[in-house]
Amino acid sequence: MTGLLCYCRAGFEPELAAELSARAAEAGFFGHARTERGSGFVVFACDQPEALSRALPWRGLVFARQKLQLLAELRGLDPKDRIAPIVAALHADSAGQGPSPEQVRGRLYGELLVEHPDSDAGKPLSGLARAFGNALRPVLRKAGLLAAQDNASLPRLHVCFAAGDHAFVASGDVADSAPWPLGIPRLRLLPDAPSRSALKLEEALLTLLDDGERTRFLREGMRAADLGAAPGGWTWVLVRHGLHVSSIDNGPLRQHVLDTGLVEHLRADGFHWQPPRPLDWMVCDMVEQPRRVAERMATWLREGWCRQTIFNLKLPMKKRWDETRLCLDLLAAQAQRPLVVRARQLYHDREEITVFAAAKP
Ligand SMILES: C[S@@+](CC[C@H](N)C(=O)[O-])C[C@H]1O[C@@H](n2cnc3c(N)ncnc32)[C@H](O)[C@@H]1O
């Protein structure tokens, strides 16, 4: 079987399957999504995986933590020798199994990641994944399939164990996939962070902006508003970049955030407050109906009250892909100007997604 293998937050497989199906159909590809609720991954079977992968860039997907090209699915693996079938699949030497010779001929991988889905069934496989990686790596090097040293300019080889006897073999394009194992950036909550939410904004800045944008968009002395700021996690992240922040919330902010001297706390309604002059940033973590948030964000962008924004959309219990689409369409329509929009369900997001939007220069 060929196609795409994508990882997601466990429980969001229907949303990822709906997203892949919709986007593939829009790009003119036939295929079908196969998944199980709670599994943490979706396979999108398609007979033109390379072209489909190009048409669906990872950065454009909302619910995919990772996007890989599936080379082989191996079931019934013998615990005494799981290595031989993987090497065979990579050599495409078993009749009709594994990838086409075109897919593997001359393919040298720069790194091996042995993974498991981030799910209840997948997490107990982490020990197996680690030990198996250590055993497989030297064999692949000897077979000329893996570079002698990790090489970030070559495709990554992923082996993902869905069970002890069931693995996917897939390749990751380094320019078009998440660089982190399991597609999860590891961030540490610093002891003085006012809330765990701080990790959400840090992850958003890491995954929704590229290196150049982070340098250009986050400079000392810039000005920001934080709508729904209490107890101050997002404000604290911005302050650590040297930004001056107007923090809007009726609730209290942590004292050490106020003590930075860079924060003005305003007890106001985030849906009505507007800045006295244009700002560089507006961030918003208000828990509200997603359409209402998307409309307010569109107003900010339309009126030019901020250059760029990062905000959360809390998703409803049902039809979450439909609601995502609707909110992003609403944002684009009501902003009444060309936008750059990137949306993603972050690792630190639960029933929500995080959106970066900016007026196109
Ligand atoms: C999830 S918390 C924000 C956490 C914050 N981002 C952090 O990192 O600490 C949501 C906040 O939105 C505030 N909020 C909800 N509706 C609001 C509104 N209409 N105006 C201002 N704040 C609002 C709540 O008081 C609450 O403190």
Side-chain angles (χ1 to χ4, degrees):
M1 187 208 298
T2 59
L4 304 182
L5 171 66
C6 296
Y7 306 161
C8 65
R9 183 178 188 83
F12 280 79
E13 302 80 12
E15 285 69 29
L16 176 56
E19 178 178 21
L20 292 170
S21 303
R23 292 194 193 271
E26 282 156 20
F29 290 89
F30 293 105
H32 68 275
R34 181 164 68 74
T35 188
E36 253 174 60
R37 198 168 190 123
S39 65
F41 67 90
V42 174
V43 170
F44 191 84
C46 168
D47 54 11
Q48 295 167 275
E50 289 183 20
L52 176 64
S53 188
R54 276 195 299 276
L56 269 57
W58 169 67
R59 286 183 192 284
L61 295 171
V62 179
F63 289 100
R65 279 183 191 168
Q66 181 59 288
K67 184 200 73 170
L68 306 170
Q69 269 187 59
L70 185 59
L71 303 175
E73 179 175 3
L74 304 171
R75 288 180 184 271
L77 286 169
D78 178 353
K80 288 197 225 69
D81 184 9
R82 300 177 176 101
I83 289 183
I86 290 174
V87 174
L90 288 169
H91 281 307
D93 60 357
S94 48
Q97 295 289 308
S100 65
E102 290 69 32
Q103 277 178 290
V104 290
R105 191 173 293 135
R107 167 84 41 112
L108 177 67
Y109 293 94
E111 193 187 350
L112 168 70
L113 290 184
V114 181
E115 306 175 301
H116 53 84
D118 183 31
S119 65
D120 288 346
K123 281 174 196 159
L125 297 164
S126 65
L128 166 69
R130 202 172 318 111
F132 187 74
N134 292 339
L136 180 60
R137 219 163 265 116
V139 177
L140 294 179
R141 290 204 166 115
K142 205 164 167 210
L145 291 161
L146 184 65
Q149 310 262 309
D150 283 355
N151 182 336
S153 63
L154 292 169
R156 230 181 292 109
L157 180 64
H158 294 250
V159 174
C160 180
F161 280 102
D165 63 352
H166 179 194
F168 296 96
V169 183
S171 83
D173 177 341
V174 288
D176 185 29
S177 62
W180 314 285
L182 281 63
I184 300 175
R186 298 281 165 194
L187 297 172
R188 207 163 54 86
L189 188 69
L190 294 179
D192 56 338
S195 62
R196 277 197 72 75
S197 282
L199 287 175
K200 239 184 270 182
L201 185 58
E202 284 196 6
E203 187 184 348
L205 294 170
L206 182 69
T207 58
L208 299 176
L209 304 183
D210 65 29
D211 291 346
E213 289 168 335
R214 266 192 301 282
T215 311
R216 285 199 313 282
F217 295 170
L218 290 166
R219 287 206 307 268
E220 234 178 270
M222 284 183 160
R223 310 197 81 85
D226 181 359
L227 310 182
W234 287 27
T235 293
W236 174 83
V237 170
L238 295 172
V239 161
R240 282 164 53 84
H241 285 280
L243 276 74
H244 296 260
V245 188
S246 300
S247 303
I248 317 298
D249 204 307
N250 277 325
L253 296 187
R254 295 283 295 276
Q255 190 57 42
H256 72 279
V257 177
L258 295 169
D259 290 345
T260 58
L262 292 174
V263 177
E264 171 193 34
H265 181 196
L266 300 170
R267 295 183 191 272
D269 182 345
F271 283 96
H272 290 105
W273 184 83
Q274 67 181 70
R277 60 194 159 108
L279 303 171
D280 300 289
W281 277 96
M282 178 269 289
V283 297
C284 170
D285 192 18
M286 293 190 287
V287 180
E288 248 297 342
Q289 292 293 324
R291 292 177 205 190
R292 188 165 181 231
V293 173
E295 278 176 5
R296 188 63 183 164
M297 303 298 104
T299 303
W300 275 71
L301 291 163
R302 185 180 66 241
E303 300 300 327
W305 295 341
C306 65
R307 248 198 280 271
Q308 54 253 335
T309 171
I310 287 180
F311 59 91
N312 266 343
L313 294 176
K314 317 285 169 192
L315 298 176
M317 291 305 289
K318 288 190 176 156
K319 301 208 167 195
R320 295 184 287 207
W321 164 244
D322 293 343
E323 188 68 19
T324 299
R325 262 262 149 110
L326 195 147
C327 288
L328 295 179
D329 288 350
L330 197 151
L331 174 75
Q334 296 201 5
Q336 294 177 13
R337 55 164 74 189
L339 297 179
V340 176
V341 178
R342 300 171 197 150
R344 174 163 292 277
Q345 186 177 41
L346 304 174
Y347 175 67
H348 293 96
D349 282 336
R350 292 183 184 273
E351 307 285 313
E352 63 203 334
I353 60 165
T354 303
V355 183
F356 165 79
K360 268 197 182 147

